[in-house]
Structures are given as C-alpha cells and as structure tokens.
Amino acid sequence: MADKRVRKVEPKKLKARGNHEQRLFDFENQHPESEGTHTHRYCEQLLQFGWRERPFGEIFYIEGVGFTHAPMANGRPRGGINAARSTAIDQCESLIHGHTHQLQIHHSKKNGPTDKVAVIAAGC
C-alpha cells in the first residue's frame, strides 16, 4: 500500500507595497509624533499571514521576471495609457506591475542577450 502522507507546502508570500499603503509610512515620516500608529498594525497583519513586503517602487525578481506595484520614472510612479509602453522601453527584463487599474501589455525589442521584454500592467 502506498504512503498516503501529504506533505504540506508553504509558499513564499511576497508582495509589492502599493502607493496607498505607502501613504501610511509617508504620513508617519512627516509626523514623527505618530510613529507606529498606522504602520505597526499594518506590518503585524502582514506577518500574521506570512507575507513579506518589498518597498514601494522597488522591483523584485522571481525567476527572471520583475514585479512591482508601480514602475518608477524620475522618482514618480508611471501611470496612464502609455505606462506599459514607456516602462518597456526602459526595462532590460520583463516586468509585471499594477497601479494603472487597467490591463496593458507591451513588448519591446532589445539588442543583447535578451531579444525582447514584455511589460504587463495587470491592474490592481
């Protein structure tokens, strides 16, 4: 008879901080007297459910594909109807992001080891 034990797999949970969550951190940075009043509970919730979070605007990579909430340009999040296109021009690797609240897919040809990249704005 075959061994029927089930191995429980715990996936790695990694999330990109969005601009709305970032507002909590920005507020506390601008008002030091409020330190921890908003972000403490938020961070506790992430930890309670096993999530790790990357900072707003940072791109993190999983198997060669970048993920971020909002691709940045000149210190500001990209948005609008050309967000995927303008991001694809700058990227050297494929990227998936949210922020725009709309689906956009753009491919950009490259010279070098990567012949093209895809940028997918997957909405939020």
Side-chain angles (χ1 to χ4, degrees), residues 44-58:
E44 277 184 336
Q45 289 290 312
L46 290 176
L47 289 172
Q48 178 182 351
F49 295 103
W51 286 93
R52 290 183 304 141
E53 182 180 63
R54 302 307 310 159
F56 177 64
E58 180 181 292

Side-chain angles (χ1 to χ4, degrees), residues 5-121:
R5 287 181 281 175
V6 177
R7 190 175 130 230
K8 185 176 179 181
V9 177
E10 286 293 328
K12 293 180 182 176
K13 299 176 186 176
L14 189 59
K15 89 178 258 320
R17 182 182 300 157
N19 53 304
H20 293 256
E21 295 91 350
Q22 183 61 36
R23 291 176 186 167
L24 300 172
F25 293 86
D26 291 344
F27 179 85
E28 288 182 7
N29 285 335
Q30 293 166 5
H31 302 90
E33 67 278 6
S34 69
E35 183 181 353
T37 57
H38 304 289
T39 57
H40 181 72
R41 179 77 174 134
Y42 172 73
C43 292
E44 277 184 336
Q45 289 290 312
L46 290 176
L47 289 172
Q48 178 182 351
F49 295 103
W51 286 93
R52 290 183 304 141
E53 182 180 63
R54 302 307 310 159
F56 177 64
E58 180 181 292
I59 298 174
F60 62 91
Y61 292 87
I62 300 173
E63 296 188 23
V65 177
F67 293 85
T68 188
H69 175 77
M72 305 297 275
N74 299 319
R76 298 185 52 129
R78 279 197 167 123
I81 61 172
N82 292 315
R85 181 183 163 281
S86 59
T87 301
I89 291 169
D90 292 343
Q91 283 297 114
C92 296
E93 285 122 358
S94 293
L95 178 75
I96 299 172
H97 72 88
H99 190 65
T100 62
H101 301 274
Q102 55 189 320
L103 176 63
Q104 299 176 5
I105 301 172
H106 187 81
H107 297 274
S108 182
K109 291 185 179 189
K110 303 291 177 180
N111 293 323
T114 302
D115 63 344
K116 69 178 178 178
V117 299
V119 171
I120 301 172

